[in-house]
Amino acid sequence: MANVRLSGVDKAFGKVKVLEGINLDIKDGEFVVFVGPSGCGKSTLLRVIAGLEDITRGTLEIGGETVNDRTPKERGIAMVFQSYALYPHMSVYDNMAFGLRLDKGSGRDAVDKRVREAARILQIEPYLDRLPKELSGGQRQRVAIGRAITRDPAVFLFDEPLSNLDAALRVQTRIEIARLHEKMPDTTMIYVTHDQVEAMTLADRIVVLNKGRVEQVGTPLELYHRPDNLFVAQFIGSPAMNILPATFNTSQNALRVVPEGGNGLTLSLPEGIAVSQGPGHLGVRPESLRLVGAGEEALIEGEVTLVELLGEVTLVYVDIGRQDDPVVAKLAGEAAIERGENVRLAADAEDLQLFDKSGRALRRDPLQKAA
Ligand SMILES: Nc1ncnc2c1ncn2[C@@H]1O[C@H](COP(=O)(O)OP(=O)(O)OP(=O)(O)O)[C@@H](O)[C@H]1O
Ligand SMILES: [Mg+2]
């Protein structure tokens, strides 16, 4: 059992600052997922927590104690990497027992009990006598996780553990990791991934990192519905949220939003929100857009440049006069639309997001269309 707290943590490699001013409070037993673009510092942050990298400035507490100067082993942490790094000449059983046997004071029976318990949790009991090469990729990754479980860590760190697996195995192993968290509710888990679905489904809270800084921390749905800024808005969700430069005009209780190249709409002005006049951004998710006929009010219209039929949904790319930057609409099922057609798209007021010129979200409860 352990919470993990980072206060003002910086990490630099020589002169290169990789993490800056990281403040995070991860609760005991929480499942936290780090996401962010390649090179933003996710792995470095995990390695700092594990003690594989020292901290340039700030403090790291685990279970209420400052651990900046403790070795990885003293921190009660286990880490699972993208490459499973099993010993090829050892059986699954011996791979899982190896670390335990090195610890003085673990008797043979105690080791056996821990290995079998981990194998049971991960459903790899039938493979204990096999060599790693006799297993599938997913089974191997489960052995690597099992090896970490046997150490009975207070904090479990995962760095993209599923990225070497094919799509079907990823799904299966992801479900197993969710189950693992349920079976080990006292173990704090910190997980790095590039995969939106893994982040959304596994996380109690997601931490969005960008260039070594925390952009936003929140539950998956908070980040999806209420991103703090344009970066988070476009990072969470796939395809990404459409962002349209827009002009805001306020008058009394109404806010007129006119997207560039679009038709504009009038929203009732949320109370307590000061919207500055002039330029800003309007955000609308592809799944919030729908086709409307000529008689209905549209938000934007343009020519279809590409249609992607994915079976369950159709992605429609619409040219609204921005070079190589089409608006994307995600329509349910197989939409009967062809390239070259002109379409009109609308969205409900409560599904729109507004951002000021600097990209900061205008915080508010869902917007309403003005009466
Ligand atoms: N040992 C090191 N020495 C110098 N620079 C490093 C070192 N390790 C990482 N970096 C740099 O720190 C930055 C963050 O790297 P990190 O591996 O944490 O990114 P990441 O978010 O995990 O990326 P990815 O998603 O590609 O795995 C990168 O610019 C990287 O080049
Ligand atoms: Mg990484």
Side-chain angles (χ1 to χ4, degrees):
M1 305 230 322
N3 62 331
V4 176
R5 176 178 289 159
L6 293 99
S7 314
V9 168
D10 292 353
K11 172 69 190 170
F13 293 106
K15 281 191 182 147
V16 185
K17 287 184 186 167
V18 174
L19 299 173
E20 279 192 85
I22 305 283
N23 295 307
L24 276 179
D25 209 342
I26 297 170
K27 295 188 210 66
D28 195 12
E30 196 173 18
F31 198 124
V32 166
V33 175
F34 294 165
V35 297
S38 186
C40 72
K42 302 178 297 292
S43 295
T44 306
L45 188 51
L46 271 197
R47 292 171 60 80
V48 156
I49 295 170
L52 300 171
E53 302 286 356
D54 55 11
I55 294 173
T56 309
R57 190 176 304 124
T59 43
L60 170 66
E61 289 166 67
I62 297 177
E65 291 178 41
T66 302
V67 298
N68 287 41
D69 297 326
R70 295 212 189 145
T71 64
K73 225 178 152 199
E74 291 164 346
R75 297 185 187 196
I77 275 179
M79 189 151 167
V80 176
F81 300 91
Q82 183 175 347
S83 57
Y84 355 100
L86 301 176
Y87 300 107
H89 58 285
M90 283 187 198
S91 69
V92 166
Y93 184 100
D94 288 335
N95 263 286
M96 296 214 293
F98 186 75
L100 283 179
R101 286 176 183 150
L102 290 181
D103 293 340
K104 286 191 205 89
S106 304
R108 204 189 150 97
D109 288 350
V111 170
D112 188 66
K113 193 163 164 253
R114 299 266 279 279
V115 170
R116 289 188 189 281
E117 171 66 8
R120 187 186 60 76
I121 290 175
L122 293 162
Q123 298 166 349
I124 48 176
E125 290 157 301
Y127 319 124
L128 283 173
D129 295 329
R130 291 203 199 168
L131 291 173
K133 68 172 186 212
E134 296 164 331
L135 301 175
S136 72
Q139 290 162 346
R140 274 180 228 171
Q141 191 54 293
R142 277 188 267 162
V143 176
I145 295 170
R147 187 171 54 181
I149 291 178
T150 59
R151 316 294 304 248
D152 196 18
V155 182
F156 221 132
L157 307 179
F158 298 89
D159 196 354
E160 308 205 40
L162 309 186
S163 56
N164 282 340
L165 308 181
D166 69 31
L169 262 179
R170 277 186 91 119
V171 173
Q172 195 189 326
T173 315
R174 180 186 88 216
I175 292 167
E176 260 157 37
I177 288 177
R179 228 180 259 147
L180 179 68
H181 181 51
E182 278 173 27
K183 287 176 187 164
M184 304 172 70
D186 296 336
T187 307
T188 307
M189 299 196 175
I190 308 177
Y191 189 102
V192 170
T193 183
H194 270 106
D195 187 293
Q196 293 270 341
V197 179
E198 280 173 33
M200 296 299 281
T201 55
L202 290 173
D204 293 320
R205 285 190 302 159
I206 295 176
V207 176
V208 182
L209 293 163
N210 182 27
K211 297 180 186 155
R213 293 173 180 276
V214 174
E215 290 277 355
Q216 190 174 357
V217 183
T219 65
L221 291 180
E222 273 165 12
L223 298 191
Y224 179 83
H225 291 297
R226 292 285 165 259
D228 274 345
N229 54 49
L230 281 179
F231 180 84
V232 176
Q234 291 201 280
F235 195 81
I236 300 288
S238 175
M241 184 187 282
N242 297 294
I243 304 294
L244 308 166
T247 308
F248 300 153
N249 283 302
T250 51
S251 64
Q252 287 169 353
N253 299 328
L255 170 66
R256 179 92 190 139
V257 180
V258 185
E260 206 175 279
N263 300 320
L265 76 172
T266 304
L267 305 167
S268 64
L269 190 59
E271 261 177 61
I273 294 288
V275 180
S276 57
Q277 305 272 353
H281 307 269
L282 173 67
V284 56
R285 294 206 177 272
E287 50 273 35
S288 301
L289 287 168
R290 61 171 189 279
L291 291 174
V292 290
E296 277 178 85
E297 201 180 353
L299 182 65
I300 33 181
E301 43 189 291
E303 186 185 316
V304 174
T305 55
L306 180 67
V307 177
E308 292 181 327
L309 290 163
L310 302 180
E312 48 167 345
V313 294
T314 304
L315 299 181
V316 181
Y317 296 77
V318 180
D319 175 13
I320 57 159
R322 299 189 296 185
Q323 196 73 33
D324 297 327
D325 194 9
V327 162
V328 185
K330 193 191 234 180
L331 308 175
E334 295 168 36
I337 293 186
E338 296 200 6
R339 204 164 77 163
E341 255 181 75
N342 269 299
V343 291
R344 308 177 77 244
L345 297 166
D348 291 335
E350 58 266 30
D351 292 332
L352 300 176
Q353 318 257 351
L354 302 181
F355 303 88
D356 68 15
K357 203 166 55 177
S358 74
R360 203 189 321 246
L362 299 172
R363 275 292 160 154
R364 39 151 182 62
D365 293 322
L367 296 163
Q368 303 283 322
K369 207 170 162 196

